[in-house]
Amino acid sequence: MRFFGGHVKVGLENFPLIRCYAKTLIELSKHDRKSCVSDASHFLEMMKSNEDMRFFFCSLSSSKKDCLVAIEAIRDQFSSLFIKFLLILNENRRLYILVEILGLFLSFAKKDAGEIDIEVVSAMPMKESDEKFILELLEPSFGKVVSMEKFIDP
């Protein structure tokens, strides 16, 4: 773990802990996986679009009490299961790895749903017909639903 002005840069030494919490959320959400996946995705989008929120939740300098107030402020936007999970992370002082936990949780959830992600890097934007061709080619090969993330590298 490396510290940068109160913000923690997560290293590989935290992976077993991240995996443990992500697997725990998978187990807890087995009866309402769709809702929990939606909550995790929504929370990550909030973190992505709000740098202050990301810094606050990913910082070890934020107190448990301050984090509790922040969690209470967003309570009405998420399921009770997701909020309880955030509260447990806060109590255990693990919010600094929340982004990694939720990312791994979403990967596990996709795998459980029979989906796989691919990344396609192209020199220029792909046409919709090209995207469709790639997906139609890969889905039967894998026997799963394929989600594509596209990147341009000119």
Side-chain angles (χ1 to χ4, degrees):
M1 190 173 355
R2 293 170 290 288
F3 298 90
F4 296 96
H7 180 75
V8 178
K9 183 149 178 91
V10 177
L12 288 177
E13 65 272 9
N14 285 312
F15 185 74
L17 190 59
I18 293 165
R19 182 178 171 80
C20 178
Y21 278 106
K23 283 288 192 182
T24 299
L25 189 54
I26 282 288
E27 284 301 312
L28 291 172
S29 68
K30 66 183 171 188
H31 297 295
D32 193 10
R33 180 75 43 81
K34 190 175 183 178
S35 173
C36 203
V37 165
S38 176
D39 285 346
S41 297
H42 177 61
F43 190 87
L44 287 174
E45 281 301 314
M46 288 174 65
M47 295 277 280
K48 187 177 180 181
S49 65
N50 188 328
E51 189 174 322
D52 291 336
M53 182 179 171
R54 184 173 54 252
F55 184 79
F56 180 79
F57 276 102
C58 296
S59 172
L60 286 175
S61 62
S62 300
S63 72
K64 279 186 183 182
K65 185 178 178 182
D66 289 342
C67 289
L68 181 60
V69 170
I71 292 168
E72 290 299 325
I74 61 171
R75 178 181 285 276
D76 62 339
Q77 298 179 47
F78 299 96
S79 67
S80 61
L81 172 67
F82 191 77
I83 293 296
K84 287 177 187 175
F85 186 72
L86 293 179
L87 292 171
I88 289 168
L89 290 176
N90 184 46
E91 184 60 32
N92 294 338
R93 300 290 292 155
R94 299 294 187 244
L95 286 173
Y96 72 95
I97 55 174
L98 178 59
V99 170
E100 291 80 8
I101 291 168
L102 295 180
L104 192 56
F105 162 75
L106 291 173
S107 294
F108 289 155
K110 281 186 175 189
K111 183 179 177 189
D112 285 354
E115 297 177 25
I116 60 169
D117 290 327
I118 63 167
E119 293 180 357
V120 177
V121 180
S122 60
M124 47 199 256
M126 294 175 58
K127 296 179 195 168
E128 191 173 319
S129 61
D130 293 335
E131 294 175 30
K132 186 176 178 181
F133 174 77
I134 291 171
L135 292 175
E136 287 174 352
L137 183 69
L138 292 177
E139 285 181 349
S141 298
F142 289 113
K144 298 181 178 197
V145 174
V146 177
S147 300
M148 182 187 320
E149 190 168 355
K150 302 166 292 223
F151 299 96
I152 299 172
D153 185 9

